[in-house]
Amino acid sequence: MLMKKCYIVSGFNPIIKDKYDGFLVGVDKGCLYLTLRNIEMDVGIVDFDSATDDELEIIKKHCGKLLKLNPIKDDTDMEHALKYVEELGYKEIEVYGCLGGRQDHNLLNIKLLYLSGLDITLFDEKNKMFCLDEGKHVVYKNEYKYLSLFVFEKANVKLEECYYNLDNIDLDINDNYTTSNEILDKFCTLTINKGRVLIIQSKD
């Protein structure tokens, strides 16, 4: 049986959908955002110190299962959520509300995205972030004007149908010129001959 997509909603001004066609996890204050919209969660994950007793009672009424984490722990709420859904077998995961708050959490969430072997996409109001491995990929423009590529280890890439194309170029962490490119039409083609690439699509 093919598993549905997993959605994780965290606590920094997340985009809230009217409907989630998949497994829905609320994390921290993300549980309250979902609760205030009367959206039922499959699982809610909260710290003991991030919600009052009254808030916890409200959250309990809107989720099938509530996991209360001890705030004194080695992983963040988001890291715990990703491990949890991976153990359940989910591979395709959309995450909302994990960017734009504390910078240490932002960096950690991007690090988790890059190091994970899962198909994770991070969203906020202006950005979409995901990683691609070796192979030929189609990246759709949709509502995003800008396309940026980042690598943390050496990679070799070919980029076509963009304002600035790349012809089997070697990239490493010191290269910054792959920022703020633009897809010319509806999509571009990215071939990764070696390495792993972080993709950020953005709009003003």
Side-chain angles (χ1 to χ4, degrees):
M1 178 178 174
L2 183 64
M3 299 190 76
K4 291 184 178 180
K5 185 182 296 184
C6 177
Y7 299 89
I8 297 176
V9 177
S10 191
F12 187 83
N13 296 328
I15 299 169
I16 302 295
K17 295 176 176 286
D18 293 327
K19 183 179 179 181
Y20 293 87
D21 183 23
F23 190 80
L24 178 59
V25 178
V27 177
D28 196 45
K29 293 293 184 182
C31 295
L32 285 177
Y33 280 102
L34 292 167
T35 296
L36 292 173
R37 293 279 292 272
N38 289 314
I39 296 174
E40 300 297 314
M41 294 162 272
D42 292 286
V43 177
I45 299 175
V46 296
D47 273 345
F48 281 108
D49 65 344
S50 64
T52 66
D53 290 340
D54 289 341
E55 288 172 339
L56 284 174
E57 287 303 314
I58 295 173
I59 291 170
K60 283 180 183 178
K61 296 177 181 178
H62 287 80
C63 65
K65 183 177 183 180
L66 181 64
L67 301 178
K68 295 192 291 185
L69 305 179
N70 191 321
I72 303 174
K73 57 188 186 301
D74 293 330
D75 55 1
T76 64
D77 295 350
M78 180 56 62
E79 191 172 2
H80 186 93
L82 289 173
K83 289 178 181 177
Y84 179 81
V85 299
E86 182 179 13
E87 288 174 358
L88 292 179
Y90 290 96
K91 301 296 183 183
E92 185 178 359
I93 304 165
E94 290 188 5
V95 182
Y96 299 85
C98 71
L99 300 171
R102 284 175 48 180
Q103 293 303 314
D104 54 346
H105 284 180
N106 287 343
L107 183 58
L108 176 58
N109 290 333
I110 294 171
K111 180 181 176 182
L112 291 172
L113 168 66
Y114 187 81
L115 295 177
S116 173
L118 304 176
D119 180 9
I120 302 173
T121 306
L122 310 183
F123 292 91
D124 65 13
E125 289 185 350
K126 295 185 177 182
N127 303 282
K128 174 183 179 181
M129 301 185 189
F130 56 98
C131 288
L132 294 174
D133 291 307
E134 293 177 7
K136 188 172 184 177
H137 309 275
V138 173
V139 179
Y140 289 92
K141 184 173 184 177
N142 296 323
E143 72 269 31
Y144 298 102
K145 180 177 181 180
Y146 302 108
L147 173 74
S148 298
L149 311 181
F150 296 95
V151 300
F152 299 100
E153 301 171 283
K154 290 184 178 181
N156 181 276
V157 303
K158 181 176 183 178
L159 184 65
E160 302 171 274
E161 293 95 30
C162 285
Y163 194 86
Y164 298 104
N165 289 326
L166 301 173
D167 188 10
N168 297 319
I169 296 297
D170 289 323
L171 299 175
D172 64 31
I173 195 170
N174 297 305
D175 292 313
N176 300 314
Y177 62 87
T178 53
T179 305
S180 297
N181 204 340
E182 295 185 35
I183 298 173
L184 293 176
D185 197 1
K186 294 182 179 180
F187 63 87
C188 71
T189 303
L190 173 63
T191 303
I192 303 174
N193 300 307
K194 181 182 70 174
R196 182 169 172 83
V197 179
L198 171 65
I199 314 295
I200 302 181
Q201 292 184 260
S202 305
K203 57 187 176 181
D204 291 321

